[in-house]
Amino acid sequence: MPIHQEIVGRILLLRVDNPPVNALSRVERRGLIDGIVRGADEDIDAVVIIGTGASFIAGADIREFGQPPEPPHLPEVVEAIEASTKPVVAAIAGQALGGGLEVALACHYRLASADARLGLPETTLGLIPGAGGTQRLPRLVDPLVAADMVATGKPRNATSALQIGLIDWIAERPLEIEAVERARDVARQSLDGRRLSEGNVATSTAIIEALAHLKADTVRKSRGALAPGIAIDLIRLALQSPYDAGVAEERARFLELRSSPQAAALRHIFFAEREAAKGQGGAARSVARVGVIGAGTMGAGIAMSVADAGFPVTLIEQNEAALAAGLDRIARAYGDGVARKRLTSEVAAERRANITGATDYEALAQADLIIEAAFETMEVKDSIFRRLDAVARPEAILATNTSYLDIDAIAAVTDRPGQVVGLHYFSPANVMKLLEIVHGRKTDPAVLATALAFARRTGKIPVVAGVCHGFIGNRMLRAYNREAGLLLLEGATPSRVDKALTDFGMAMGPFAVADLSGIDIGHKGRMVMEPGSYEPAAFRVHDTLVSRGFHGRKTGAGFYLYCDGKVEGDNPEVADIVAAARENFGVEARNIDTHEIVERCIFAAAAEGLQIVKEGIAARPGDVDVVFVNGYGFPRHRGGPIFHLNQAGDVGVAALRGYAQGPFGRWWPAADPHDSNVETHPRGQSTQDAA
């Protein structure tokens, strides 16, 4: 029985026991109701709900999503808890997320351990709370705080939860002992005012207006995701309608969203991330000290990412001036974090202290992992790895942060190719979560396992890739950008392409991204590619802009014009460049609708991703989706390019075949989405990692 009942001096303890995170399946729901019924007996004064292990209740069991729900449903459970005639105390250790927090809100009192995290992360899975969470929470805490919690899904720690009134106490003694004592104390008190469903919400015109502003901002940031805006609507409903009406509307919207395409997509990417992060054979080695070579923007970001996780980092530069500039860059970044209240000055100082600088490679002699983040040329990489091979410990792992160079060629200049691995960080490295881990032909399985473990310890979402030009993400990006460039020649404009794709949900359009990163960066990358390995027509406009000195934001003009870093409008020279390229390649302009813009760009990335899986560069379609969602701004609520193509079904297959027959069809891989089994059904245990 996953709900164990135990009486301790007239206090009934209900222990939730569904390891590892005490997810609420049908069995646990039934057990809680039975426990509340038992608590009505005369020999019981109060009830304590507590989890076994390190968690309270970390959400609903996602394995039940997409299946016919089995009673008792969670709303029945929380109503039974709140209706108890005996006081019910939630004793919260670890996670109280989603349905777990809804259970705690139904309890009359809430005690939390210092390590507790409380939140409603349902929107991160395309859902909203479905058991009264949006109606009880604003009756307990400030409605604007409640709206932010349900819209973002971000959890609160115990200290914050106490400050906003979400919990009554933070435990100062062992949780169970204090919970029993608190239950004895409150057993003699009236439950008047302790049932949140009976409370009123303090509201005003100002609060309603603030919620409207919050919703507008949230909808804009959500890039088409539906759940966050709906969650805020339900908070507002709690302020304006009786509890029963609010709960009925919440449940209806929950059931509607649970079967929506967005929820299916978000479940897919949630589980794909977990699958991608799993170890791949071999036992991970211990990593205690890390070296980073290069204190530029990328190297400094990598050093910060590693230092933030508590590792001591030695940062290497060629000379004292470059090193000082890098350390100053890091200091300013931490200072900015303090100014924006993202971390305290004490935490910033502690993290800065983890980073020391040097100009001599001998300072890396004791490092367990050395990450090279120098200039992106084989000559520079080869030189560095030869030097590292001479000074690093035999067991040290040598990693290169490259976005497209051949890991096998880099490894070949060392006497330890099995110790070499690619760690492709995304900029800014201390912010972006994605980390492509590239294994070469000779990379030792233990080295790969260590890289995965290190990525997880530093808070990254790792995906393993094989060796090819661009690995997973940049190879897909090249296909995506190829179609965007061809669309210019065929009649679209940069602003139309960018708007169509941002309306679809992309964080930025391809031409705005090119301007931001520097059009010359892509140009330099193409200059070292093998002839015939990319479509010249697609990038003729890019290359011509570079030849005229239009590199993007940094030069004040690219596809767009800029003033003080802000877009001022289209660059008028682009139209003439496009016209010349169109004539050169014999392309006739035509009207292109938004549907074609989105379909061609997204399906091109998906088709390339399928080919990457077919070649074994990526292990599974889900890995491809994880890369594009977390590294390239693909809307999470659409699940990733391959998932999106898979959802299109026969329409998607027909589109791929049609584009393969077009004038530039040679670039479309002969891949069918039905060749790969993209998992769209829920599996796994809980929402705890979605917070």
Side-chain angles (χ1 to χ4, degrees):
M1 172 66 69
I3 302 293
H4 304 290
Q5 298 183 14
E6 179 184 354
I7 297 176
V8 179
R10 298 183 63 84
I11 305 299
L12 174 63
L13 268 67
L14 301 180
R15 299 184 191 277
V16 184
D17 186 11
N18 184 17
V21 294
N22 297 328
L24 283 177
S25 70
R26 177 185 61 82
V27 178
E28 286 76 42
R29 296 193 297 270
R30 178 75 265 166
L32 284 172
I33 289 179
D34 291 344
I36 293 299
V37 171
R38 172 72 177 86
D41 290 355
E42 291 184 0
D43 61 335
I44 301 298
D45 291 336
V47 178
V48 170
I49 299 177
I50 191 169
T52 59
S55 185
F56 177 64
I57 299 169
D61 192 332
I62 300 180
R63 289 176 298 186
E64 296 187 349
F65 289 2
Q67 302 176 14
E70 295 186 54
H73 308 306
L74 190 56
E76 299 172 55
V77 176
V78 298
E79 296 297 338
I81 291 171
E82 191 180 63
S84 169
T85 58
K86 307 290 179 65
V88 183
V89 177
I92 303 166
Q95 318 283 356
L97 302 176
L101 182 55
E102 289 182 296
V103 167
L105 290 170
C107 295
H108 309 115
Y109 298 90
R110 285 156 292 280
L111 168 71
S113 60
D115 69 341
R117 293 170 70 247
L118 304 91
L120 295 169
E122 285 87 348
T123 57
T124 64
L125 291 174
L127 304 172
I128 55 168
T134 66
Q135 303 304 295
R136 286 190 174 89
L137 188 61
R139 287 173 162 83
L140 180 63
V141 306
D142 183 300
L144 292 174
V145 172
D148 179 73
M149 285 185 64
V150 297
T152 65
K154 294 179 180 177
R156 298 279 183 143
N157 61 30
T159 300
S160 174
L162 184 64
Q163 290 172 344
I164 65 175
L166 182 56
I167 60 175
D168 298 286
W169 315 282
I170 294 177
E172 298 179 353
R173 289 159 288 169
L175 184 64
E176 182 177 320
I177 293 173
E178 185 161 341
V180 170
E181 292 181 3
R182 295 285 186 183
R184 288 197 185 103
D185 292 341
V186 301
R188 297 185 289 272
Q189 300 177 18
S190 168
L191 288 176
D192 290 347
R194 302 304 304 189
R195 294 186 176 96
L196 296 178
S197 66
E198 298 173 357
N200 295 317
V201 185
T203 187
S204 66
T205 301
I207 291 177
I208 297 298
E209 290 177 352
L211 283 174
H213 289 302
L214 178 62
K215 181 185 176 183
D217 188 52
T218 298
V219 168
R220 177 180 60 82
K221 292 178 180 177
S222 298
R223 294 156 46 198
L226 298 174
I230 292 172
I232 295 175
D233 285 341
L234 289 165
I235 295 292
R236 184 176 61 192
L237 187 63
L239 276 59
Q240 298 176 317
S241 300
Y243 174 81
D244 289 345
V247 164
E249 178 66 12
E250 177 196 77
R251 190 64 182 174
R253 301 309 296 271
F254 169 81
L255 293 174
E256 174 186 315
L257 287 171
R258 188 171 70 170
S259 59
S260 70
Q262 289 195 5
L266 286 161
R267 287 198 301 273
H268 161 71
I269 200 66
F270 171 73
F271 287 116
E273 287 171 350
R274 297 176 76 182
E275 190 70 25
K278 289 181 179 178
Q280 297 195 1
R285 302 173 186 172
S286 173
V287 173
R289 298 194 62 85
V290 179
V292 176
I293 298 174
T297 300
M298 181 59 78
I302 293 172
M304 291 176 66
S305 173
V306 176
D308 290 353
F311 289 95
V313 182
T314 301
L315 184 62
I316 299 291
E317 256 297 354
Q318 297 182 67
N319 53 60
E320 292 292 345
L323 179 61
L327 293 174
D328 181 64
R329 183 178 290 112
I330 290 169
R332 283 187 281 109
Y334 279 129
D336 184 61
V338 173
R340 295 174 181 269
K341 297 184 178 180
R342 292 173 178 164
L343 68 167
T344 66
S345 56
E346 292 79 12
V347 170
E350 180 181 325
R351 292 176 177 180
R352 280 185 62 188
N354 283 337
I355 302 173
T356 57
T359 58
D360 188 344
Y361 276 49
E362 290 294 338
L364 301 175
Q366 299 305 313
D368 303 299
L369 168 66
I370 302 171
I371 306 169
E372 167 274 315
F375 197 64
E376 188 87 338
T377 70
M378 286 300 295
E379 293 78 11
V380 171
K381 306 284 189 187
D382 286 356
S383 174
I384 290 173
F385 272 77
R386 285 191 174 94
R387 293 180 67 184
L388 287 179
D389 201 29
V391 302
R393 297 170 51 235
E395 303 83 9
I397 296 172
L398 309 183
T400 176
N401 174 63
T402 178
S403 55
Y404 58 84
L405 295 178
D406 188 338
I407 304 296
D408 290 323
I410 294 172
V413 306
T414 74
D415 291 331
R416 58 176 98 187
Q419 298 291 98
V420 177
V421 68
L423 294 182
H424 178 207
Y425 285 82
F426 288 71
S427 186
N430 56 312
V431 175
M432 295 291 284
K433 291 290 188 181
L434 180 65
L435 179 59
E436 279 187 316
I437 299 176
V438 187
H439 69 87
R441 287 193 303 270
K442 296 184 178 180
T443 301
D444 190 300
V447 169
L448 186 58
T450 304
L452 279 160
F454 176 76
R456 294 191 294 267
R457 281 188 62 188
T458 55
K460 300 301 183 186
I461 297 171
V463 176
V464 175
V467 175
C468 68
H469 189 91
F471 314 129
I472 297 173
N474 281 339
R475 180 169 158 183
M476 291 173 66
L477 183 66
R478 190 164 67 247
Y480 171 84
N481 285 336
R482 179 195 71 228
E483 293 306 308
L486 291 173
L487 284 163
L488 291 189
L489 301 194
E490 294 175 39
T493 64
S495 57
R496 277 208 63 218
V497 173
D498 281 353
K499 186 177 187 306
L501 287 161
T502 53
D503 286 349
F504 171 79
M506 296 296 292
M508 294 177 68
F511 300 109
V513 169
D515 276 1
L516 179 62
S517 60
I519 307 173
D520 56 315
I521 302 300
H523 172 78
K524 290 174 183 176
R526 287 188 294 277
M527 293 305 98
V528 299
M529 293 177 64
E530 292 292 327
S533 61
Y534 70 95
E535 174 52 64
F539 300 101
R540 175 60 61 86
V541 177
H542 300 68
D543 295 340
T544 306
L545 284 169
V546 171
S547 71
R548 296 187 184 183
F550 299 134
H551 295 180
R553 285 179 183 252
K554 59 191 175 186
T555 59
F559 288 98
Y560 304 100
L561 299 178
Y562 299 89
C563 182
D564 296 328
K566 295 182 180 179
V567 177
E568 290 288 301
D570 296 341
N571 183 350
E573 299 221 17
V574 170
D576 291 338
I577 295 172
V578 168
R582 189 177 290 151
E583 181 177 356
N584 181 262
F585 290 102
V587 177
E588 292 187 10
R590 58 186 175 84
N591 291 324
I592 300 176
D593 62 22
T594 296
H595 173 78
E596 181 181 344
I597 291 171
V598 172
E599 185 178 77
R600 275 179 63 176
C601 292
I602 301 303
F603 283 6
E608 193 67 33
L610 287 167
Q611 185 66 21
I612 288 168
V613 175
K614 185 176 181 180
E615 294 173 11
I617 301 300
R620 56 190 74 85
D623 289 2
V624 169
D625 287 337
V626 169
V627 168
F628 226 65
V629 165
N630 289 287
Y632 298 88
F634 190 91
R636 191 175 181 87
H637 62 272
R638 295 188 186 274
I642 292 181
F643 182 90
H644 182 68
L645 174 62
N646 186 272
Q647 294 298 88
D650 291 340
V651 173
V653 174
L656 290 187
R657 291 172 178 164
Y659 293 129
Q661 297 302 313
F664 296 97
R666 65 187 180 280
W667 297 106
W668 287 80
D672 187 320
H674 299 305
D675 290 342
S676 299
N677 179 28
V678 180
E679 178 63 68
T680 60
H681 299 291
R683 51 195 169 83
Q685 270 244 323
S686 83
T687 62
Q688 68 161 342
D689 296 330

